[in-house]
């Protein structure tokens, strides 16, 4: 071998040059392929986010009558972005959409079909035949085949993604539908990457051919559904219900160190709620937007110090941003794991994309209505007189206390037992010791009812407005002052239910909230 190399490269200089060339080739191969076959060069990757700009219904009716909704005015709008995305197709379009009636997208698909692009369309059976058949009929009239996933597999198809030329993917929580585009907050994103397009194409093919992605022995492993790019970006796709959407989202939330913001149309999944509450408990700044709340999820988070609000216009978004560098989005609703076909995509390290989602969140959050009011200043009352069979005084049991010097402390909880009937308002008095504090924090007191062994706060009834405690603090140098506030807790009191008092502190400079104390009245409701 050495003799052969000497004949091929007779001089030392040539041998060194050959070694250098081989080393350069090896390094290039490593950078291109990385440690696995899914690694791609950063120059192959690009991302772009799109957000709707909803208007009130009456304004939308005026827009419909006065504007051409097929005009491509603003490329940042999802309807325009998707139409332009479709027009870039040269070979193939895989179009998977739950709800669909936008004429601008119908026209783009028909035009692509006439240009010779192969088009496959997949939707939900009910939406094709019952609710909005006109758009799908227009495609079929043009010669485009439209299939329904649940016609084959008897399962709702809730995905919203498009793959163009096996190179680029459109996905998110937005349907190509008038209600999503004009009347609700939604988001979508376009990502150009060969590896990601291959993953979504595999998912589409399974659904299109009627092969359910769950329960298959050949369900792609996580590394086969992941793309690690040379610029540090990681993309990972999850098929629902082949995987649990609850577990996917909860795992990402558990990794948060500084900040979580979420915009979830439907909120109520217990694993997600638990991780959000736990993140707030361990000092992560958590802010959220929601539209519908099951299992009293909004109340559960609000009383744990999470600043959760509802936008003025309908929220259909489904995304989470963690520590300003991870985006989790897709068609899955955080209401609970359900039998729909969905997808989630986790994007790590794309700082620009994360910032786009954060800007969209902040714009909605600034005008949204808090679940719990910032707090009201209420006059304290005299402690009630206890009586047998009537008002009873309980020394509260601390469940969690994280108080700094000068923080308020719950001293007693009074309950009118004579009113403890199912589905009634129960009068409750909470006695609080309020000292003079130098922390500058704002303190609020809230009282509510919940099942005794509940980890997540399911069943929590309307907690009402918190009481601001700061005006009732003792003067500097004086001992703590004891004050009593009266609450009317609307509850569904029954066996194993308890009453709780919670004190929440907020730093007015940073907006960060934390739970100072959680106290339980030590009795079972009868």
């Amino acid at each position: 071998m050495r003799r052969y190399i000497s004949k091929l490269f007779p001089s030392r200089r040539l041998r060194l040059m050959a070694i250098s060339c081989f080393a350069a080739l090896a390094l290039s191969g490593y950078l291109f392929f990385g440690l696995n076959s899914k690694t791609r060069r950063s120059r192959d990757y690009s991302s772009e986010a799109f957000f709707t700009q909803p208007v009130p219904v009456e304004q939308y009716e005026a827009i419909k009558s006065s504007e051409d909704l097929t005009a491509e005015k603003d490329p940042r709008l999802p309807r325009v972005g998707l139409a332009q995305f479709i027009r870039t197709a040269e070979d193939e379009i895989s179009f998977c959409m739950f709800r669909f009636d936008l004429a601008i997208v119908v026209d783009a698909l028909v035009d692509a079909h006439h240009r010779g692009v192969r088009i496959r369309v997949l939707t939900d059976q009910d939406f094709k035949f019952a609710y909005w058949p006109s758009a799908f009929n227009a495609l079929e009239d043009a010669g485009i085949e439209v299939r329904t996933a649940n016609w084959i597999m008897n399962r709702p198809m809730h995905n919203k993604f498009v793959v163009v030329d096996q190179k680029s993917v459109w996905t998110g929580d937005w349907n190509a539908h008038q209600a999503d585009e004009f009347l609700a907050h939604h988001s979508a994103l376009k990502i150009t990457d060969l590896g990601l397009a291959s993953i979504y194409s595999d998912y589409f093919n399974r659904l299109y051919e009627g092969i359910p992605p769950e329960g298959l022995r050949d369900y792609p492993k996580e590394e086969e559904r992941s793309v690690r790019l040379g610029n540090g970006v990681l993309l990972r796709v999850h098929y629902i219900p082949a995987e649990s959407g609850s577990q996917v989202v909860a795992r990402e939330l558990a990794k948060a160190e500084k900040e979580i913001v979420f915009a979830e149309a439907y909120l109520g999944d217990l694993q997600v709620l638990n991780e959000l509450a736990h993140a707030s408990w361990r000092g992560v700044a958590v802010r959220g937007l929601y539209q519908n709340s099951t299992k009293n999820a909004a109340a559960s988070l609000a009383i744990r110090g999470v600043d959760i609000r509802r936008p003025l216009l309908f929220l259909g978004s489904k995304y989470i941003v963690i520590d300003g560098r991870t985006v989790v989005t897709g068609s899955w609703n955080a209401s609970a794991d359900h039998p729909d076909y969905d997808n989630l995509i986790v994007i790590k390290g794309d700082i620009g994309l994360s910032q786009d989602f954060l800007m969209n969140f902040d714009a909605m959050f600034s005008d949204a209505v808090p679940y719990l009011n910032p707090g009201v200043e209420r006059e304290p009352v005299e402690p009630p007189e206890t009586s047998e069979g009537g008002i009873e005084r309980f020394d509260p049991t601390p469940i969690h206390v994280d108080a700094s010097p000068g923080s308020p402390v719950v001293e007693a909880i009074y309950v009118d037992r004579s009113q403890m009937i199912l589905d009634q308002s129960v009068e409750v008095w909470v006695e609080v010791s309020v000292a003079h504090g130098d922390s500058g924090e704002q303190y609020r007191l809230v009282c509510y009812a919940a099942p005794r062994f509940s980890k997540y706060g399911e069943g929590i009834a309307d907690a009402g407005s918190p009481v601001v405690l700061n005006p009732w603090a003792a003067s500097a140098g004086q001992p703590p002052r004891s004050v009593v506030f009266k609450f009317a807790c609307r509850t569904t009191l029954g066996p194993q239910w308890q009453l709780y008092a919670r004190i929440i502190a907020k730093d007015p400079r940073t907006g960060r909230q934390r739970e100072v104390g959680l106290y339980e009245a030590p009795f079972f409701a009868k």
Side-chain angles (χ1 to χ4, degrees):
M1 184 68 178
R2 182 180 299 176
R3 184 181 304 171
Y4 176 77
I5 294 175
S6 299
K7 287 183 178 180
L8 191 61
F9 304 103
S11 69
R12 184 171 180 272
R13 181 180 179 183
L14 287 175
R15 287 195 292 272
L16 289 174
M17 289 177 61
I19 292 172
S20 300
C21 289
F22 282 123
L25 287 172
L27 179 61
S28 299
Y30 176 82
L31 293 176
F32 184 84
F33 293 105
L35 298 178
N36 60 68
S37 60
K38 290 293 184 181
T39 302
R40 295 290 183 270
R41 290 170 294 180
S42 58
R43 73 181 188 185
D44 295 331
Y45 172 82
S46 65
S47 64
E48 185 176 1
F50 301 83
F51 303 99
T52 59
Q53 299 174 5
V55 296
V57 175
E58 57 274 12
Q59 187 175 340
Y60 169 57
E61 294 299 331
I63 291 173
K64 281 202 303 183
S65 61
S66 62
E67 294 186 18
D68 179 8
L69 299 185
T70 63
E72 298 185 9
K73 289 184 176 181
D74 188 346
R76 296 171 299 177
L77 294 173
R79 71 178 187 274
V80 179
L82 179 56
Q84 293 180 347
F85 180 52
I86 290 170
R87 290 196 173 94
T88 66
E90 297 178 354
D91 301 315
E92 180 183 16
I93 297 172
S94 300
F95 187 88
C96 189
M97 196 65 60
F98 179 55
R99 295 191 295 178
F100 176 47
D101 72 349
L102 286 175
I104 186 174
V105 181
V106 173
D107 292 346
L109 287 169
V110 172
D111 290 345
H113 175 68
H114 290 160
R115 289 189 284 108
V117 177
R118 180 196 180 204
I119 299 177
R120 298 181 297 166
V121 176
L122 189 67
T123 187
D124 181 81
Q125 177 182 341
D126 290 340
F127 285 90
K128 179 181 187 295
F129 295 108
Y131 299 122
W132 290 280
S134 60
F136 296 110
N137 290 342
L139 296 182
E140 291 181 321
D141 290 344
I144 300 172
E145 182 183 5
V146 178
R147 294 188 184 182
T148 56
N150 53 349
W151 178 262
I152 301 169
M153 293 168 284
N154 194 31
R155 185 185 295 280
M157 201 294 299
H158 192 242
N159 287 290
K160 315 111 174 27
F161 69 87
V162 183
V163 184
V164 167
D165 291 342
Q166 301 281 329
K167 296 188 300 185
S168 302
V169 175
W170 177 285
T171 189
D173 55 61
W174 175 84
N175 292 286
H177 186 268
Q178 292 185 48
D180 281 28
E181 177 71 13
F182 297 102
L183 299 175
H185 293 285
H186 274 284
S187 64
L189 64 156
K190 180 180 69 177
I191 296 178
T192 298
D193 179 78
L194 294 174
L196 185 69
S198 174
I199 295 168
Y200 270 96
S201 293
D202 173 74
Y203 185 33
F204 182 90
N205 291 336
R206 292 170 183 268
L207 295 175
Y208 194 76
E209 299 301 330
I211 305 172
E214 81 279 9
L216 291 181
R217 293 180 180 177
D218 64 340
Y219 176 67
K221 297 178 181 179
E222 184 169 302
E223 58 268 23
E224 296 173 328
R225 291 177 285 101
S226 302
V227 181
R228 189 178 299 277
L229 306 173
N231 60 356
V233 173
L234 173 67
L235 312 172
R236 189 171 66 246
V237 181
H238 300 272
Y239 305 166
I240 314 298
E243 293 182 82
S244 164
S246 305
Q247 293 179 8
V248 170
V249 173
R251 281 198 304 265
E252 297 302 323
L253 292 173
K255 300 172 186 176
E257 297 178 353
K258 297 179 180 179
E259 181 188 45
I260 295 171
V261 304
F262 64 88
E264 293 290 347
Y266 298 94
L267 190 63
D269 181 86
L270 296 185
Q271 290 190 61
V272 173
L273 290 178
N274 187 39
E275 287 300 337
L276 288 170
H278 184 62
S280 176
W281 195 312
R282 56 191 171 85
V284 176
V286 182
R287 295 181 297 153
L289 293 166
Y290 78 104
Q291 180 62 40
N292 294 301
S293 168
T294 59
K295 301 182 179 68
N296 297 292
S300 177
L301 292 176
I303 59 179
R304 285 163 171 78
V306 174
D307 192 350
I308 183 168
R309 306 181 182 185
R310 176 180 283 165
L312 298 177
L313 296 176
F314 190 90
L315 178 74
S317 302
K318 305 169 184 59
Y319 67 77
I320 302 171
V321 184
I322 302 170
D323 291 338
R325 58 178 292 109
T326 298
V327 176
V328 183
T329 187
S331 60
W332 183 78
N333 283 302
S335 52
D337 270 333
H338 41 71
D340 294 359
Y341 281 122
D342 278 302
N343 76 92
L344 282 169
I345 181 170
V346 179
I347 307 163
K348 295 177 177 287
D350 189 334
I351 306 302
L353 187 68
S354 299
Q355 290 302 312
D356 288 341
F357 275 92
L358 285 173
M359 289 177 61
N360 174 255
F361 177 88
D362 287 338
M364 293 189 291
F365 194 78
S366 62
D367 296 328
V369 179
Y371 179 85
L372 287 180
N373 294 328
V376 295
E377 292 188 15
R378 191 188 306 172
E379 291 288 335
V381 299
E382 293 296 322
E385 293 185 5
T386 59
S387 61
E388 186 175 351
I391 297 174
E392 189 171 353
R393 182 186 187 279
F394 298 93
D395 294 324
T397 301
I399 304 300
H400 171 253
V401 177
D402 182 20
S404 55
S407 297
V409 176
V410 174
E411 298 287 353
I413 296 177
Y414 300 82
V415 183
D416 189 346
R417 277 194 177 275
S418 65
Q419 294 185 356
M420 299 188 75
I421 307 172
L422 289 175
D423 300 318
Q424 296 292 319
S425 274
V426 177
E427 290 187 343
V428 181
W429 295 259
V430 179
E431 184 175 346
V432 187
S433 174
V434 190
H436 175 77
D438 298 321
S439 66
E441 291 181 309
Q442 298 172 349
Y443 297 104
R444 294 175 295 165
L445 170 69
V446 67
C447 185
Y448 64 95
R452 187 172 192 273
F453 299 108
S454 166
K455 290 184 179 179
Y456 312 102
E458 64 265 35
I460 292 174
D462 184 6
S465 297
V467 177
V468 178
L469 297 177
N470 295 68
W472 308 108
S475 302
Q478 298 297 315
R481 178 185 180 186
S482 181
V483 289
V484 178
F485 295 97
K486 185 178 180 180
F487 294 86
C489 288
R490 292 196 60 191
T491 72
T492 53
L493 280 172
Q496 305 288 307
W497 277 66
Q498 296 284 67
L499 287 166
Y500 294 88
R502 176 176 257 107
I503 298 174
I504 302 167
K506 180 178 180 180
D507 188 332
R509 297 165 298 178
T510 64
R512 175 169 292 190
Q513 301 181 86
R514 66 186 182 91
E515 183 181 74
V516 172
L518 171 62
Y519 300 85
E520 177 186 64
F523 70 96
F524 288 117
K526 298 180 180 179

